[in-house]
Amino acid sequence: QVQFVESGGGLVQAGGSLRLSCSASGSTVSINTIGWYRQAPGKQRELVAAITTRSNTNYEDFVKGRFTISRDNAKNTVYLQMNSLKPEDTAVYYCNVLTTWRTPKYPWGQGTQVTVSS
């Protein structure tokens, strides 16, 4: 079964940057659309950004211009570069394979905590 390991989170002040990594098993990254999700305390898990096998990217409005998703097929890794971080970006960030309906396909990994202080 496909597994994901997220890393790169941490504590940063508002306006700072972090780069998250999502390491997936097998050739998952090269043959699937991969999405980054996040879940804040008391909130639903939400899709943040996605990247297709053709490197087409999609971003939710609240991160456009600040976050960049990228893929390295050789490393089977997807990245999320996060700039100009805001306190409302505080959440646990997860990655997963997206279906054609933008839903997660596999069980969630542990995620990586991002905390943005004011």
Side-chain angles (χ1 to χ4, degrees), residues 10-16 85-90 114-118:
L11 175 63
V12 65
Q13 290 186 324
L85 283 163
K86 304 175 180 179
E88 51 263 44
D89 294 320
T90 295
V114 171
T115 303
V116 184
S117 62
S118 300

Side-chain angles (χ1 to χ4, degrees), residues 1-9 19-26 28-29 34-36 75-80 92-97 106-113:
Q1 180 168 255
V2 173
Q3 294 181 321
F4 306 94
V5 179
E6 300 94 344
S7 61
R19 190 191 192 213
L20 307 184
S21 297
C22 168
S23 179
S25 58
T28 299
V29 170
I34 308 296
W36 277 100
K75 296 181 178 180
N76 210 28
T77 300
V78 175
Y79 304 96
L80 185 67
V92 178
Y93 284 71
Y94 305 85
C95 58
N96 214 313
V97 170
Y106 297 105
W108 301 104
Q110 294 298 301
T112 185
Q113 176 71 52

Side-chain angles (χ1 to χ4, degrees), residues 7 61 81-82 89 93 100-101 117:
S7 61
D61 288 342
Q81 178 66 47
M82 306 187 297
D89 294 320
Y93 284 71
T100 54
W101 295 276
S117 62

